[in-house]
Amino acid sequence: MRLVLVGPPGAGKGTQAQFLSAHYSIPHISTGDIFRANLKAGTPLGLEAQKFMDAGELVPDSVTNEMVKDRLTHADAANGFLLDGFPRNVAQAQVLSNILNEKKLPLDAVLELKIEDSEIIARLNNRRSIESRADDAEEVIIHRLKVYHDQTAPIIDYYRTEGSLITISATGAVDEITERAITALGNN
Ligand code: AMP
């Protein structure tokens, strides 16, 4: 299963990705997690990414694309993967298509988690009080939502045209959403 998870910040991508990667026995590849791990370890990549992450901006494609290209060559991704947080704009989607076309391994599905902005703001305010992520501050959340609508949402049309898009509602209990996702992914 080669799967991409798309949705606004706070849609529950990370949580659903953990369940789906276990269900399908595929690695969960989160670009946000890789950036945060690099930041924690103080690597040059982490330091480069930090200023963009703290501001709620996308890390430049040149940095992100190389990181993903490298990650997809790891042995655990040979039989499938779940990408969470990548691609985040149409240029990244094109890079991913090129990587996979070269390997003749197309995506099985792009799963969109759909949710209203008002619910996201409420959820992320809650996450901020639990996880204290710098990029969950309210003004940064509002900016991240704008970045999502301006830059990331166009990939939904890209994948709809390609025929791989599956959309589910991301409201409700976590286990209900996982059920919904697995049902929607069907025999993929
Ligand atoms: P996330 O954990 O997916 O919400 O990502 C946290 C932050 O990491 C984002 O707000 C961006 O600053 C950065 N980031 C994660 N994935 C990408 C990506 N595909 N392209 C650019 N920046 C990204």
Side-chain angles (χ1 to χ4, degrees):
M1 169 77 94
R2 287 175 296 279
L3 184 61
V4 165
L5 215 51
V6 187
K13 291 192 301 297
T15 305
Q16 292 305 326
Q18 284 178 19
F19 289 114
L20 294 174
S21 80
H23 181 84
Y24 293 109
S25 303
I26 47 177
H28 169 202
I29 302 177
S30 155
T31 41
D33 284 352
I34 301 174
F35 285 132
R36 278 184 290 277
N38 274 277
L39 188 56
K40 207 169 162 199
T43 69
L45 176 72
L47 295 175
E48 159 105 48
Q50 181 175 25
K51 50 183 183 289
F52 299 100
M53 295 174 78
D54 286 353
E57 295 289 346
L58 296 186
V59 177
D61 287 353
S62 52
V63 176
T64 310
N65 289 337
E66 285 312 309
M67 187 176 89
V68 171
K69 267 186 203 166
D70 174 72
R71 181 63 187 84
L72 290 177
T73 64
H74 293 197
D76 66 345
N79 293 319
F81 51 79
L82 191 171
L83 277 171
D84 159 16
F86 184 93
R88 220 73 158 219
N89 60 30
V90 171
Q92 293 182 4
Q94 284 163 342
V95 165
L96 181 63
S97 295
N98 291 342
I99 298 172
L100 298 178
N101 286 345
E102 256 174 43
K103 299 186 190 185
K104 301 209 178 344
L105 294 172
L107 288 173
D108 292 295
V110 175
L111 184 68
E112 179 199 7
L113 299 183
K114 209 174 170 63
I115 181 171
E116 294 300 318
D117 284 5
S118 53
E119 183 154 347
I120 291 168
I121 292 170
R123 278 192 193 183
L124 289 185
N125 278 334
N126 186 41
R127 180 165 84 184
R128 181 180 55 224
S129 62
I130 299 166
E131 290 180 22
S132 55
R133 267 177 58 168
D135 61 352
D136 280 347
E138 185 150 4
E139 62 282 7
V140 181
I141 292 173
I142 289 167
H143 187 64
R144 289 170 69 207
L145 278 172
K146 179 171 167 31
V147 169
Y148 178 78
H149 291 299
D150 291 350
Q151 300 188 47
T152 307
I155 73 173
I156 291 169
D157 283 332
Y158 175 93
Y159 287 121
R160 188 178 288 122
T161 306
E162 208 193 69
S164 48
L165 185 74
I166 296 173
T167 300
I168 62 165
S169 160
T171 54
V174 168
D175 55 346
E176 283 169 14
I177 300 167
T178 310
E179 271 297 317
R180 223 175 270 159
I182 292 169
T183 306
L185 289 166
N187 295 325
N188 273 303

